[in-house]
């Protein structure tokens, strides 16, 4: 097995070979042609994947960041020369660890999913609708709204409405750049904000270079091969006086989460302190739609009086079950998804999902000792830790496996050997909405779905265990459509957009 040092040295040596090749050619021409190649056949996801857009955008990042970027009088590369540079960049995958070189093989698969799945989804109207719920209703004096206005010089509601208009136009078009007639039917009250909208979502190559050299490490690391491209936070490139998207799927992912991504990039801890309450309110609205009795954190604290509780406790008496719910505003950052050392993972999750896991165990222990309505069958107790993004961790047992069992060892030392980590599930907010949708539509009660996932995980061999609740929902065809709350809000905002159109 290769050491980390050997992997890094090989990667950097091969990177220098690629760098020395692309330095021979005019950089802006290279960027335009690489993006053109990456964006061909966008309507077919299989063909799109064959072009390996993650490789293309990694190469674009290197070209923009290169210290010789501004050197002049260089020729354009031939098609053959560009193809060779792309081939060599793609070959860097073999410089990274292969599955059999990890102590925990799922680290490889999490990196692989993190790298590629963002290119395999169309525009999500579910994500767009949720953005209006999470950010469109906040008060004018709310710190998030003030922070967004200060950073981007546009009101958050005007931004959301123009994002919707722009995303829908790109969804309905094969174009890779903004067409001015898209906005010609909108009222002046909205279009007057277009300059500020594009100033916030776009950069020239020069400004993007300044941003990348400031925020991206100068030293090349082998793990960057699996990173989400930093262009995800720059939905448009301003090239030749026109706004171009670097890649259709990257544009969609960027617009879907632009507010969260750009406001949390300066200080995730500070942003979460402002966002947590709003996130919990949305989680509660989804829980309310279950039409099951539930207790809030405030109500639980009145009962427990001391120590930690969870955000919500759902009672599903007809199915003899209880579900503890804890909401954490954590997303699938490069730092969280690409760490493969046990201690590094524990450090990266100490303030969020590791903390939430301990919280759920402590609360469940208290619940079983002090609550007079515990299920007759104790194996009907579950917990769900709801996250903002998809972390590719299905439950606390899987989470402990990713830490090479360091987590379970520390938890068992503190709470005893009878803790059941497999009953503490992780779900993104989208996965949780899907679980609840299945419940309210009579497809499957939420507790029954969790029990079915638990049984499937127990019966699967190591190679067939799933890494996310969403994978089971997809497999069982239970992920169809969006939760009614999301559908209603999206429909409302589409009508609002129509109201902004000229008669």
């Amino acid at each position: 097995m290769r050491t980390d040092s050997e992997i890094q040295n090989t990667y950097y040596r091969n990177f220098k070979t690629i760098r020395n090749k692309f330095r021979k050619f005019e950089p802006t021409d290279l960027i335009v042609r690489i993006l053109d190649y990456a964006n061909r056949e966008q309507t077919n996801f299989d063909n799109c994947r064959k072009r390996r857009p993650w490789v293309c955008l990694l190469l674009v990042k290197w070209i923009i960041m290169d210290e010789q970027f501004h050197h002049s009088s260089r020729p354009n590369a031939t098609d053959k020369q560009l193809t060779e540079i792309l081939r060599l960049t793609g070959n860097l995958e073999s410089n990274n660890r292969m599955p059999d070189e990890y102590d925990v093989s799922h680290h490889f698969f999490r990196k692989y999913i993190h790298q590629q799945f963002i290119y395999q989804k169309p525009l999500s109207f579910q994500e767009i609708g949720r953005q209006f719920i999470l950010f469109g209703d906040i008060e004018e004096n709310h710190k998030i709204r003030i922070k967004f206005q200060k950073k981007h010089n546009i009101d958050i509601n005007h931004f959301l409405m123009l994002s919707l208009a722009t995303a829908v136009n790109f969804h309905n078009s094969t174009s890779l750049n903004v067409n001015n007639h898209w906005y010609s039917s909108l009222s002046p009250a909205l279009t007057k904000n277009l300059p500020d909208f594009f100033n916030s979502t776009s950069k020239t190559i020069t400004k993007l270079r300044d941003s990348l050299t400031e925020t991206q490490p100068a030293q090349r690391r082998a793990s960057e091969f699996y990173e989400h491209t930093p262009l995800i936070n720059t939905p448009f490139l301003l090239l030749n006086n026109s706004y171009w998207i670097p890649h259709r799927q990257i544009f969609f992912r960027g617009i879907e989460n632009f507010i969260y991504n750009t406001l949390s990039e300066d200080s995730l801890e500070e942003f979460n302190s402002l966002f947590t309450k709003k996130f919990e309110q949305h989680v509660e609205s989804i829980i309310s739609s279950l039409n099951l009795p539930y207790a809030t954190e405030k109500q639980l604290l009145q009962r427990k009086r001391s120590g930690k509780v969870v955000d919500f406790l759902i009672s599903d008496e007809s199915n003899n079950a209880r579900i503890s719910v804890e909401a954490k505003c954590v997303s699938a950052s490069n730092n969280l998804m690409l760490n493969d050392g046990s201690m590094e993972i524990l450090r990266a999750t100490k303030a969020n999902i590791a903390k939430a896991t301990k919280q759920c165990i402590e609360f469940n222990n208290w619940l079983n000792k002090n609550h007079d309505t515990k299920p007759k069958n104790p194996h009907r107790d579950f917990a769900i830790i709801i996250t903002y993004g998809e972390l590719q961790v299905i439950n606390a047992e899987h989470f402990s496996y990713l830490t090479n069992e360091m987590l379970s060892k520390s938890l068992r030392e503190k709470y005893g050997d009878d803790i059941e980590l497999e009953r503490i599930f992780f779900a993104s907010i989208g996965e949780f909405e899907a679980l609840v949708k299945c419940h309210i539509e009579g497809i499957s009660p939420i507790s029954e779905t969790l029990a079915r996932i638990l049984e499937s995980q127990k019966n699967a061999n190591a190679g067939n265990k799933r890494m996310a609740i969403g994978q089971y929902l997809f497999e069982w065809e239970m992920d169809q459509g969006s939760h009614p709350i999301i559908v209603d809000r999206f429909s409302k905002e589409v009508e609002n957009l129509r109201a902004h159109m000229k008669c």
Side-chain angles (χ1 to χ4, degrees):
M1 184 181 295
R2 294 172 296 171
T3 66
D4 283 343
S5 179
E6 289 172 331
I7 290 170
Q8 296 296 340
N9 289 339
T10 302
Y11 182 87
Y12 186 65
R13 184 170 61 249
N14 289 331
F15 159 74
K16 286 197 297 184
T17 298
I18 298 165
R19 182 194 63 191
N20 292 340
K21 285 184 177 293
F22 71 64
R23 276 181 171 176
K24 297 176 182 177
F25 307 112
E26 206 286 316
T28 302
D29 176 75
L30 279 177
I31 291 168
V32 171
R33 291 165 63 195
I34 291 168
L35 295 181
D36 175 69
Y37 172 82
N39 278 288
R40 291 177 197 165
E41 301 183 83
Q42 286 292 293
T43 56
N44 186 306
F45 287 127
D46 287 334
N47 289 340
C48 170
R49 191 170 64 248
K50 288 174 184 176
R51 292 182 179 275
R52 297 193 292 181
W54 51 91
V55 171
C56 297
L57 295 182
L58 176 62
L59 181 55
V60 166
K61 182 184 81 169
W62 289 344
I63 293 170
I64 293 173
M65 289 183 66
D66 188 57
E67 61 187 18
Q68 295 185 16
F69 180 84
H70 291 297
H71 288 197
S72 57
S73 302
R74 285 182 278 181
N76 294 340
T78 64
D79 288 345
K80 183 177 180 181
Q81 289 166 330
L82 178 55
T83 299
E84 175 65 5
I85 293 171
L86 284 168
R87 184 187 69 81
L88 291 173
T89 306
N91 287 348
L92 287 176
E93 183 171 21
S94 63
N95 297 156
N96 274 275
R97 291 182 186 178
M98 294 293 105
D100 60 356
E101 293 184 280
Y102 288 90
D103 292 332
V104 178
S105 62
H106 272 205
H107 285 308
F108 171 81
F109 298 110
R110 286 181 80 235
K111 289 180 178 181
Y112 180 85
I113 290 170
H114 183 67
Q115 177 197 57
Q116 298 191 22
F117 276 27
I118 59 172
Y119 296 94
Q120 296 179 28
K121 296 188 294 183
L123 174 66
S124 171
F125 294 118
Q126 178 183 12
E127 296 284 352
I128 296 288
R130 194 184 305 117
Q131 294 303 294
F132 279 97
I133 292 172
L134 293 173
F135 300 109
D137 294 332
I138 55 180
E139 305 84 358
E140 284 191 22
N141 62 349
H142 194 288
K143 289 183 179 179
I144 286 181
R145 191 163 178 175
I146 294 170
K147 186 178 175 73
F148 189 85
Q149 174 79 45
K150 184 176 180 181
K151 182 164 187 170
H152 297 299
N153 199 36
I154 183 173
D155 180 74
I156 208 164
N157 285 309
H158 293 150
F159 176 86
L160 285 168
M161 194 58 67
L162 287 170
S163 291
L164 174 61
T166 306
V168 168
N169 275 306
F170 271 110
H171 180 262
N172 295 331
S173 169
T174 58
S175 176
L176 298 177
N177 67 320
V178 171
N179 192 319
N180 288 331
H181 84 263
W182 287 353
Y183 306 101
S184 60
S185 62
L186 296 180
S187 68
L190 197 55
T191 56
K192 70 179 183 180
N193 298 292
L194 276 171
D196 291 329
F197 174 77
F198 283 115
N199 283 339
S200 66
T201 56
S202 69
K203 286 184 174 72
T204 63
I205 293 293
T206 299
K207 287 186 176 180
L208 180 60
R209 172 178 160 74
D210 292 340
S211 174
L212 291 177
T213 52
E214 181 180 333
T215 59
Q216 293 287 305
Q219 181 66 39
R220 303 273 61 85
R221 312 161 320 286
S223 63
E224 74 174 336
F225 190 80
Y226 295 100
E227 286 179 352
H228 283 177
T229 172
L231 295 179
I232 205 166
N233 289 343
T234 307
F236 295 105
L237 295 177
L238 182 53
L239 294 169
N240 301 322
N241 296 315
S242 186
Y243 295 101
W244 293 81
I245 56 175
H247 188 273
R248 188 172 300 276
Q249 269 58 49
I250 291 301
F251 166 76
F252 290 152
R253 301 298 83 79
I255 284 293
E256 289 164 1
N257 294 287
F258 185 84
I259 299 171
Y260 180 96
N261 288 345
T262 60
L263 292 188
S264 64
E265 64 185 352
D266 297 330
S267 171
L268 179 60
E269 184 177 349
E270 178 189 350
F271 175 74
N272 281 348
S273 70
L274 304 175
F275 181 53
T276 295
K277 184 178 180 181
K278 190 63 182 175
F279 187 62
E280 289 173 356
Q281 286 173 349
H282 177 57
V283 170
E284 182 172 6
S285 72
I286 299 300
I287 291 174
S288 296
S289 70
L290 285 165
N291 288 321
L292 294 174
Y294 70 93
T296 64
E297 180 181 25
K298 184 177 180 179
Q299 293 167 330
L300 293 171
L301 282 170
Q302 289 172 349
R303 298 181 203 172
K304 193 167 183 281
R305 305 208 172 187
S306 64
K308 295 280 188 179
V309 296
V310 292
D311 291 324
F312 307 97
L313 176 64
I314 303 168
S315 297
D316 186 3
E317 294 180 7
S318 63
N319 289 292
N320 193 31
R322 297 179 304 198
I323 304 169
S324 302
V325 177
E326 181 68 17
K328 292 294 179 188
C329 310
V330 59
S331 67
S333 65
N334 286 328
N335 180 48
L336 191 59
M337 298 299 291
L338 302 184
N339 264 319
D340 51 32
S342 302
M343 286 303 300
E344 286 80 4
I345 291 175
L346 287 175
R347 276 195 290 268
T349 59
K350 181 180 178 180
N352 41 67
I353 59 175
K355 179 182 178 181
T357 301
K358 295 176 184 177
Q359 209 164 321
C360 289
I361 292 171
E362 287 184 10
F363 178 74
N364 193 65
N365 287 347
W366 171 83
L367 201 61
N368 286 329
K369 289 177 182 176
N370 298 280
H371 210 272
D372 57 1
T373 60
K374 68 181 180 180
K376 296 174 184 177
N377 180 354
H379 298 301
R380 302 293 287 178
D381 270 338
F382 301 103
I384 306 179
I385 297 169
I386 302 173
T387 59
Y388 181 82
E390 298 173 3
L391 305 185
Q392 302 304 322
V393 181
I394 194 166
N395 58 22
E397 181 181 56
H398 182 211
F399 180 34
S400 182
Y401 166 72
L402 294 172
T403 69
N404 209 13
E405 304 305 339
M406 288 182 66
L407 177 65
S408 64
K409 182 180 178 182
S410 67
L411 292 175
R412 293 185 196 286
E413 286 175 354
K414 185 172 182 178
Y415 302 112
D417 291 334
D418 58 346
I419 58 173
E420 296 180 287
L421 296 179
E422 68 275 14
R423 296 183 175 279
I424 304 174
F425 289 96
F426 294 92
S428 69
I429 184 60
E431 289 171 329
F432 183 63
E433 290 165 358
L435 284 170
V436 172
K437 177 176 179 288
C438 290
H439 179 104
I440 63 180
E441 292 184 350
I443 297 171
S444 173
I446 186 170
S447 55
E448 291 297 319
T449 307
L450 294 175
R452 184 182 178 189
I453 293 171
L454 178 63
E455 192 65 21
S456 298
Q457 284 290 100
K458 282 183 176 179
N459 293 335
N461 59 41
N464 290 325
K465 289 182 183 291
R466 302 296 183 260
M467 297 172 63
I469 282 177
Q471 292 173 356
Y472 279 115
L473 298 181
F474 176 79
E475 184 179 319
W476 298 336
E477 297 184 349
M478 293 169 61
D479 65 340
Q480 308 300 310
S482 300
H483 189 283
I485 288 176
I486 303 293
V487 173
D488 289 348
R489 186 53 185 266
F490 182 78
S491 299
K492 174 186 173 182
E493 298 305 336
V494 169
E495 287 304 312
N496 286 341
L497 183 61
R498 288 196 178 111
H500 277 286
M501 291 183 177
K502 301 171 186 175
C503 297

